[in-house]
Amino acid sequence: MQELIKDGMINTAMQGGRGYTIDVTVLDEGGRYFAVAVPVEYGPTGRRSFYMDETGVVRGADHQGGAPKPDDPVVPTS
């Protein structure tokens, strides 16, 4: 997590979770990874689950508190 923050792939606001459980999985030493964020409590803390990999593209959808998918719609950043 600290390396992703240092490299600018995840900001410090995401590190705290803000009502989300965040898990990062490293796939290999070539820099491939994916991170998922799921609401701690569906509804009160959030409705969408989010997925991001080493491309930096954030994807998200309402999975009713379930895990996001790598093919979820891209979340606009601006």
Side-chain angles (χ1 to χ4, degrees), residues 29-74:
E29 292 189 21
R32 293 183 47 225
Y33 73 91
F34 66 90
V36 298
V38 179
V40 171
E41 186 178 353
Y42 179 72
T45 62
R47 294 193 179 277
R48 291 194 294 174
S49 297
F50 298 95
Y51 176 94
M52 184 181 83
D53 62 18
E54 70 277 354
T55 65
V57 175
V58 177
R59 299 177 174 277
D62 185 342
H63 290 283
Q64 308 220 339
K69 298 178 182 170
D71 60 349
D72 281 344
V74 173

Side-chain angles (χ1 to χ4, degrees), residues 1 4-18 22 52:
M1 184 74 84
L4 294 174
I5 292 168
K6 184 179 124 198
D7 291 343
M9 299 304 290
I10 294 177
N11 67 34
T12 54
M14 270 192 78
Q15 181 185 22
R18 306 238 176 150
I22 299 172
M52 184 181 83

